[in-house]
Amino acid sequence: MSRDSFGVLTDIEKIMLDSVKATGPISFSTFMQLSLGHPTHGYYMKPDHAVFGTQGDFITSPEISQMFGELVALWMVKQWMDTNVKLPFRVVELGPGRGTLMDDMLRVLKQFPATSAKLKSVHLVENSATMRALQEGKLRKASQEGNFEIMWHDAIEEIEHEEDVFTMLVAHEFFDALPVNVIEKTQQGWHEVLIAPSNDPSIKYITPSSEFDSNLGSPPPSQRTSSRWTRVLSPTPTASGTLLGLASPRFSSLPVGTRIEVSRASMNQARNIGKLIGTKDGGCALVVDYGADKPFGDSLRAFKEHKIVDIFCSPGECDITANVDFTLLKESMADLVSTHGPISQRDFLTRMGIQVRAAALARSASSPERKQEIEDGANRLVDPLGMGGQYKVLGVVAKSSGEGQDSHDVWPFTVI
């Protein structure tokens, strides 16, 4: 197993082979953890990976236009004002990328005397030293001018629960990169879909069903499949498969033969968001990601140089994502906070006034080229066939949300 049409074995594949030899086929969760987060060979950990922007493997909404971050910040400010403007606040971002979104948000907060005086700290949940360095360089000036502290954390659990502080949190394209397990329902229960070398005769596991429920968002099969790795089905229901099959009451009604992706990590992170903002002093959060209010059957995909490639293509050299089951996130935090949506990114930005903001920026544009760039950016963010339809926005607020706001009526998630 030295090479095939995908080239030589990557360092991650060598680790995968050693793991299979030691304990048998590996889960998709382990595969994603190794490919993205391995301390030295993971995709997000390598300094030579541009990751974001035109030189990276994908472009995110904040990279397209400053208006995205500006409108996210305005929504956060509105929630704070409706709760208690006397409280200082802090801003938290999960998976901050290059710091572009946070930089745009901080620029808005600086514009208002009330918010600039009340901003206490910024917390970035990021475990990549490479990405932390990029974020520090991007946000240093704003921190110095605003006289607030920036703190980095490896996990959201490290952020202290502070009294008399309002928490604003944003998670943009964070949940789609969290590991998922793949499970398939049989007459015996939930079996786990695992990964094994294609040509290993010692692997006796059967191949999982190739029939996917189109209602679960299964894409057509990739045109190019790695000859090195294959999906296999655990011979009996596994403990993890059984537990994940019980993660949502919705799963019990799914028919035999259904395959779904379930992220235990996403459930834990959603729970932690609820704990962080569902306090007596209040808080709010926006989760922006690919997905819908349903489980997905085969949404896992890999990106390299702005193209979707086979999921097993060069592990550690490609980004890997899966669609987000927003209902699972809401179920995980339902007893702690009030959730709203998700609605499409198009609806969120349009209702928040992106066209008004785009027109104002265009009027002050320094050149016709810059004006066109502004208009193109706004259109791309709300394109119903692109980002505007593919991305969904989930709003989260504390249950007891202050004097001026009903937690059941949060704009722009409630249409008047």
Side-chain angles (χ1 to χ4, degrees), residues 74-89:
L74 285 177
W75 185 86
M76 301 281 184
V77 171
K78 176 68 164 58
Q79 308 317 307
W80 170 70
M81 292 176 65
D82 285 343
T83 302
N84 188 347
V85 294
K86 297 178 182 179
L87 283 177
F89 64 86

Side-chain angles (χ1 to χ4, degrees), residues 159-178:
I159 301 175
E160 294 183 1
H161 290 249
E162 296 185 48
E163 292 187 4
D164 302 320
V165 175
F166 185 90
T167 299
M168 303 175 180
L169 183 146
V170 62
H172 178 266
E173 288 203 55
F174 172 76
F175 282 94
D176 69 328
L178 295 181

Side-chain angles (χ1 to χ4, degrees), residues 27-135:
S27 68
F28 272 88
S29 177
T30 298
F31 170 67
M32 290 184 71
Q33 288 173 332
L34 288 172
S35 297
L36 300 179
H38 186 278
T40 54
H41 305 306
Y43 176 78
Y44 290 127
M45 302 301 178
K46 292 184 177 180
D48 56 338
H49 281 161
V51 183
F52 302 101
T54 57
Q55 300 302 313
D57 291 315
F58 55 91
I59 298 177
T60 63
S61 296
E63 305 290 335
I64 290 173
S65 173
Q66 68 187 67
M67 290 177 281
F68 180 84
E70 291 173 347
L71 295 177
V72 166
L74 285 177
W75 185 86
M76 301 281 184
V77 171
K78 176 68 164 58
Q79 308 317 307
W80 170 70
M81 292 176 65
D82 285 343
T83 302
N84 188 347
V85 294
K86 297 178 182 179
L87 283 177
F89 64 86
R90 58 183 177 173
V91 186
V92 178
E93 184 174 3
L94 310 184
R98 295 195 302 193
T100 304
L101 174 57
M102 181 59 69
D103 191 46
D104 290 336
M105 291 176 64
L106 292 175
R107 187 176 59 255
V108 171
L109 298 177
K110 180 183 176 183
Q111 299 302 313
F112 303 104
T115 54
S116 62
K118 292 291 186 178
L119 176 56
K120 182 179 179 183
S121 57
V122 169
H123 299 260
L124 304 176
V125 177
E126 176 64 69
N127 56 20
S128 166
T130 300
M131 300 309 295
R132 284 188 180 192
L134 291 173
Q135 294 152 15

